[in-house]
Amino acid sequence: MDGPEDAVRDERALVELARSDPSAFAELYRRYLPRVHAFAYRRTNDPEAAQDITSAAFERALRNLGAYRWQPGGFGPWLFRIVANELADHYRRAGRAASDRAAGAAHRLVAQAPRDPADEIGDRDAVDELLAAMSRLSPRYQQALELRYLAGLTPDEAAAAMGTSKATMAVVVHRATRALRRAMDERNGS
Amino acid sequence: MSDETRRRLEAAGERPVPPPDPGFADDLEARLRAVAASLPATGGPATAPAPSATRSGRRRRLVPGFVLAGALAIALMLAGGIGLGRPARVTTPELTGPVNVTVAMPDGAVLEDPDGMLLPDGAVITVGDDGSARIGDTTLLPGDIAVVQQGKLQIQHDGGLGVVPGTATPTAHPTPDRPHGASPPPTTAATRTPAAPTPTPVAPTPRPTPTPTPGTPDRTPAPTPTPVPQPTDTPPPTATPAPTPTPIPVIRPHLRARLLVMGPRVAVTWTETYRAKSYVLIVTVARSGTAPNPVYPGSRVLGTFARPPDLPMRFRVPDGVTELKLQVIALRWNGTVLRRSNVVTIEVPAVVE
C-alpha cells in the first residue's frame, strides 16, 4: 500500500525536475489543469474568466517555481493558493460585487465552451446568488470558502493552501460561512 | 442555519463544470513552454508571444468559409518553381507599411494591407500593382510574392530571381514592463513613429539581376534600421516628461470596424494600448442568427500584430456570413492577456442579385 507515497515521491521528483525542464512542468500542468480550471470556473461561473485565471495561475506558478519549497501537502495546495490569489486579483480588478457579472456570464453565449451540465435555470440562479454573496466577503473569508468548498481539496489540503493549521482553517471557514449567510440574507432583504 | 449555507457551498463545489477547452489547453501549454524556455536566459522578451504556434488543427471547426486564395498563390508559385530567392532570416517577421498588399493566411483567410502584422509560417504576401511593403529589412515591390517558412522569408520577384539580404532584424518590441523604470509609456507610442513605415521603396532594393549568388546582398536594403532600438535607454526622463501622444495612456484597446460595401469587406483598426506588446484580432461569424461572443483563447484568430495598423486593414467577408463579431486582445510580452477591446458586431446584409 505504498501507492500514495509513491505518488508523492513521483510528484516531488517532477517538481524538482520542472525547475529546469519545461517538459516536466508541462506534465505538472496537464495533471492539474482540469482541477484548476474547474476551481476557477466554479468560482467565477464564467468560461472566459476561468481561462484567464487558469492561464495566469499556471504562469505565476512556473515563474515562482524556483522559490517553491516542497511542503508535506505537496504541490497542489501551493498551486491552488496561487489560483485563489488570482481569483482575488480578478475580483479586485472587477471592482464590484460579482453578482451582475456572474448572472450575465451565466447566460452569455460563448463560441466554443461546451454546455454547462448544470445549466438549468434553478441551479444557475442559486449558484449565481451564492457566488455574488461570496464576492462581498472579505478576501480572507472568500479564499477560505473557495479553497474549502470550490477547489476540490481535502480539508488538510485546503488548510495547507491557506497556510494555516487545520484547526484554524476550520474556525475561519465557520466564520466565513456565517458571514456568507448574512450576506445572502441581506441580498434577499431578510 | 448555517447548515443550509454549508450545503449550498458543498453543492456549488460538486456541481459538474465543463472541462477546459482542448484548444485552450494546448495553447496554454505552448505558451508556458515558451515562458519556461525563456526564463533561464534572464526571462527577456524574446520573440513575441507565439499564439500561432502549435495550432494543431483546432481552428478547423471554426469558420470554414474563408477565401483560399492564399493556398492557390502558394500552389502557383511552387508550380512555377522558378526564381525563389535565397531565404532571408527574419525573426518574427513583421509587415510594415503595406500598400496594395494581401496576406493569405495558412487557414485560408486573406487580409488586405495588415500593417503591423506578425507573419506566421505559411503566410503568403502578395504585392499588387503599384504596391509595396516592408518586412524587416526587406522591401517588397509590385509583383513580389513572399512566403514565410520557418521564420524565413522566401521571395519571388516578378520577372527575376530574388536576392534577399541575410540581415536579421528582430522586430524589437519595446522592452517589456520594466515597470516604471526609466520610461513611462512612450516606448510603444513615441518610439514607433520614427520607424519609417512609409512604404516608398524607391531607395532600397535595386531590382535584382539574375545572379543567383546568395548572401552578399546586392541590395543594401533598408536605409533605416527601422525597428525600435533600445527603447528603454532612449527615453530621456528629463525631456518632455509627458509623452506627446496623449498624457493619459490608453488602458484598453478601442476597436473600430466597419463594413465596406465592395467585397463585402470589413475594415478594422484599433488603438494602441499601454504596455501591450502584441495584439490578436479574433473573430466569430454566423450564417444565421447571432454570432457568438469572441473568446480568447478559443475564437478564430485572424492575425497577430506587433502594433495597430496605421491605416485600417481589411478582410473579405466569406460568403453566406450574416454577422461577425470582432475583438482585439492586447497581450503582454509573455503572451498573457493584458486587455480586451470592445466587441464590434458587423451585420452583413444579404446580397440580392
Side-chain angles (χ1 to χ4, degrees):
Chain A
M1 307 300 176
D2 53 3
E5 293 172 5
D6 278 348
V8 170
R9 261 197 300 273
D10 171 56
E11 184 171 276
R12 184 170 187 172
L14 196 58
V15 170
E16 291 299 324
L17 197 57
R19 296 180 204 274
S20 57
D21 181 356
S23 295
F25 186 83
E27 175 62 26
L28 276 175
Y29 159 74
R30 285 291 179 180
R31 287 187 186 187
Y32 281 95
L33 174 64
R35 292 173 60 193
V36 167
H37 180 266
F39 178 21
Y41 194 106
R42 287 193 180 104
R43 179 62 183 97
T44 60
N45 218 18
D46 180 346
E48 189 174 313
Q51 288 185 345
D52 286 350
I53 288 164
T54 300
S55 300
F58 274 110
E59 187 180 333
R60 185 174 289 193
L62 173 61
R63 293 185 181 282
N64 289 281
L65 199 58
Y68 169 70
R69 294 293 171 262
W70 182 262
Q71 301 164 7
F75 179 73
W78 181 75
L79 176 61
F80 278 86
R81 179 62 182 268
I82 292 174
V83 180
N85 288 339
E86 289 296 329
L87 283 166
D89 287 346
H90 169 79
Y91 283 106
R92 192 161 44 243
R93 278 195 302 270
R96 60 181 182 272
S99 56
D100 298 336
R101 184 183 179 86
H107 304 289
R108 201 170 65 187
L109 293 175
V110 174
Q112 283 196 28
R115 187 168 177 75
D116 189 326
D119 200 4
E120 285 86 21
I121 298 297
D123 286 354
R124 179 71 74 178
D125 286 347
V127 168
D128 288 348
E129 181 192 1
L130 185 79
L131 296 178
M134 193 184 293
S135 297
R136 296 167 61 192
L137 304 181
S138 70
R140 181 169 169 79
Y141 281 178
Q142 288 189 50
Q143 269 201 6
L145 294 179
E146 288 164 359
L147 290 169
R148 176 62 184 87
Y149 291 108
L150 303 184
L153 300 175
T154 64
D156 284 344
E157 289 173 335
M162 196 74 179
T164 65
S165 67
K166 194 174 170 184
T168 303
M169 183 67 169
V171 171
V172 175
V173 167
H174 175 70
R175 291 174 178 167
T177 306
R178 278 192 320 187
L180 179 65
R181 176 66 187 180
R182 278 196 300 272
M184 287 197 292
D185 287 345
E186 286 170 11
R187 187 173 168 77
N188 293 332
S190 56
Chain B
M1 176 164 62
S2 61
D3 285 347
E4 169 63 24
T5 307
R6 190 174 302 114
R7 273 196 292 274
R8 291 181 70 172
L9 283 164
E10 288 170 351
E14 291 166 1
R15 74 182 176 100
V17 296
D21 177 71
F24 158 76
D26 290 343
D27 266 2
L28 178 54
E29 179 175 344
R31 205 156 62 232
L32 291 171
R33 284 180 180 271
V35 170
S38 71
L39 276 179
T42 71
T47 56
S52 55
T54 61
R55 285 256 170 96
S56 43
R58 73 181 174 89
R59 295 274 176 250
R60 298 298 182 260
R61 54 195 169 112
L62 279 184
V63 192
F66 276 99
V67 177
L68 295 178
L72 189 58
I74 296 174
L76 286 174
M77 187 177 66
L78 293 177
I82 5 171
L84 285 180
R86 179 189 176 83
R89 290 182 178 275
V90 181
T91 330
T92 319
E94 176 186 340
L95 185 68
T96 306
V99 175
N100 198 15
V101 169
T102 60
V103 176
M105 303 293 281
D107 61 5
V110 177
L111 309 180
E112 299 173 8
D113 296 336
D115 185 27
M117 182 175 189
L118 298 172
L119 301 168
D121 281 349
V124 179
I125 304 97
T126 305
V127 183
D129 295 341
D130 297 324
S132 63
R134 290 177 53 138
I135 303 175
D137 280 349
T138 303
T139 300
L140 302 180
L141 300 176
D144 286 353
I145 299 175
V147 181
V148 180
Q149 290 185 352
Q150 296 178 341
K152 302 174 188 176
L153 205 60
Q154 300 208 358
I155 303 175
Q156 179 183 20
H157 292 289
D158 189 22
L161 294 175
V163 176
V164 180
T167 48
T169 310
T171 48
H173 302 288
T175 42
D177 295 349
R178 301 310 141 114
H180 326 304
S183 54
T187 48
T188 44
T191 44
R192 174 161 303 113
T193 34
T198 48
T200 43
V202 181
T205 59
R207 278 306 202 158
T209 44
T211 31
T213 41
T216 37
D218 220 351
R219 46 171 175 180
T220 40
T224 29
T226 320
V228 191
Q230 277 63 24
T232 34
D233 294 343
T234 22
T238 50
T240 54
T244 24
T246 41
I248 302 172
V250 175
I251 302 298
R252 186 185 186 208
H254 181 68
L255 175 68
R256 289 190 301 265
R258 65 187 183 92
L259 185 69
L260 305 176
V261 176
M262 293 292 292
R265 288 173 167 76
V266 173
V268 182
T269 188
W270 59 91
T271 55
E272 196 152 5
T273 306
Y274 180 44
R275 289 171 56 175
K277 302 308 172 192
S278 64
Y279 304 84
V280 176
L281 177 62
I282 59 177
V283 65
T284 60
V285 302
R287 286 184 162 77
S288 65
T290 306
N293 283 336
V295 176
Y296 182 81
S299 297
R300 174 169 190 168
V301 174
L302 275 181
T304 304
F305 297 77
R307 54 183 172 79
D310 290 333
L311 295 173
M313 57 150 281
R314 303 169 303 282
F315 64 91
R316 187 186 174 91
V317 178
D319 293 339
V321 168
T322 56
E323 183 176 276
L324 305 100
K325 287 186 178 173
L326 295 156
Q327 188 176 35
V328 159
I329 313 296
L331 301 179
R332 297 185 182 91
W333 66 273
N334 56 15
T336 55
V337 174
L338 175 66
R339 289 288 185 272
R340 301 167 192 271
S341 77
N342 51 310
V343 174
V344 175
T345 302
I346 305 269
E347 293 181 6
V348 184
V351 175
V352 177
E353 309 246 354

